[in-house]
Amino acid sequence: MRLIMLQTGLCPSHDVSGETYDVVIPCFNRERTVEQSVDSVLSQNPAPARIILVDDGSSDQTAGILHSLEGRHTSVHAVLLPRNVGASAARNAGLAMSRAEWVAFLDSDDVWLPGAAAAMLGAESTADVVVGQFRRVWPCGSAGEPECAWAGGDVLSALALTGAIGPSWSIVRRSAALAVSGFDPSFHNCNDWDFYVRLVASGARFTRIDHVVAFYHIAEANRLSHDSEVGLANARRVQAHPIFDRLVETSTANEELVLAAS
């Protein structure tokens, strides 16, 4: 186990020969769920090159579980952060350790479904970000219908409205993630929304697949992601990104064309 001192539905088979990927799983007090998340990745075919588990200063038994997983599986690598710094910094610590062509950021209470890796790696070869569908799993255990807030059209239009893409049901080319310096630690929520917006701004190419690749577990009501005041402030920060000016310019240009043709 490595200590880092901070500086700051089923899917069909696909031909994914030569593709390699790492999975980063940030963990904070997830002693009850992280092993299930790891098992869902270990069962993938193809298997990941590395599963990088980042303990974000947990106060429960999470660190011990990560140590045990590392001891049992050669592809699992555990990282301990000296204090809680948030999901963005934890993901970035894992990204810094990754070496494969692709990297996924799976939440430690979510799971990949069988065939998830093959489906995402088997997508369009020119893509930098591959996005699948997911099913919500409620605290009572019931699962919702397959969904994704991005239908596969203009990704910028979808991201202008909401955090349409989530880490647990997508995979990113590592070079693209590094080009935008990973996740912004100043976001305590909406950090994944901001990440994908900055990827679009950097020129990353997105593609959508129709396969359900993950179960997304709904967090307890007292989680930070449910703090409406903080969430609204961060959402406004994301939507203030200059990239969204393109949508206004495009809309204005279209209106002018319509008026000129009438």
Side-chain angles (χ1 to χ4, degrees):
M1 182 176 292
R2 180 176 176 183
L3 175 65
I4 284 188
M5 298 306 296
L6 296 178
Q7 305 298 318
T8 52
L10 300 181
C11 303
S13 60
H14 296 263
D15 180 10
V16 292
S17 56
E19 301 281 6
T20 61
Y21 70 102
D22 292 331
V23 179
V24 174
I25 303 179
C27 312
F28 177 67
N29 290 347
R30 290 297 175 86
E31 61 183 6
R32 294 185 300 170
T33 62
V34 64
E35 191 159 3
Q36 185 178 23
S37 297
V38 172
D39 286 345
S40 77
V41 177
L42 288 170
S43 66
Q44 296 295 315
N45 184 17
R50 308 175 95 192
I51 301 175
I52 303 167
L53 306 176
V54 184
D55 180 68
D56 187 20
S58 295
S59 58
D60 63 0
Q61 299 303 310
T62 297
I65 292 171
L66 302 194
H67 179 69
S68 175
L69 288 166
E70 183 180 53
R72 301 198 315 261
H73 305 285
T74 57
S75 62
V76 172
H77 302 266
V79 178
L80 299 183
L81 301 184
R83 58 185 175 84
N84 178 250
V85 291
S88 292
R91 287 171 178 154
N92 289 344
L95 174 62
M97 290 185 62
S98 67
R99 296 293 180 268
E101 181 179 1
W102 293 88
V103 59
F105 300 94
L106 179 65
D107 285 347
S108 54
D109 58 343
D110 296 337
V111 296
W112 271 1
L113 299 179
M120 289 188 286
L121 293 172
E124 180 184 348
S125 61
T126 59
D128 299 304
V129 184
V130 179
V131 183
Q133 291 183 300
F134 67 95
R135 296 179 67 186
R136 297 176 192 265
V137 178
W138 306 97
C140 64
S142 64
E145 294 298 315
E147 62 177 291
C148 180
W150 176 45
D154 180 17
V155 67
L156 185 59
S157 295
L159 288 169
L161 299 175
T162 185
I165 302 169
S168 292
W169 55 94
S170 62
I171 194 166
V172 183
R173 202 175 292 274
R174 177 172 164 270
S175 58
L178 290 172
V180 299
S181 301
F183 295 80
D184 185 345
S186 71
F187 281 88
H188 296 292
N189 56 12
C190 298
N191 48 55
D192 46 355
W193 186 1
D194 169 75
F195 175 63
Y196 296 109
V197 168
R198 289 187 292 107
L199 281 168
V200 173
S202 74
R205 298 156 296 185
F206 285 64
T207 192
R208 234 299 297 274
I209 59 175
D210 290 329
H211 305 299
V212 181
V213 298
F215 279 145
Y216 169 61
H217 288 83
I218 301 301
E220 298 296 334
N222 62 353
R223 288 284 302 283
L224 180 60
S225 59
H226 292 270
D227 186 325
S228 58
E229 185 176 345
V230 173
L232 181 59
N234 283 327
R236 287 172 175 163
R237 285 181 62 197
V238 175
Q239 292 173 319
H241 194 290
I243 188 68
F244 294 118
D245 292 342
R246 292 184 189 175
L247 297 178
V248 177
E249 294 168 358
T250 301
S251 176
T252 301
N254 289 339
E255 290 175 1
E256 291 175 349
L257 287 173
V258 170
L259 289 172
S262 61

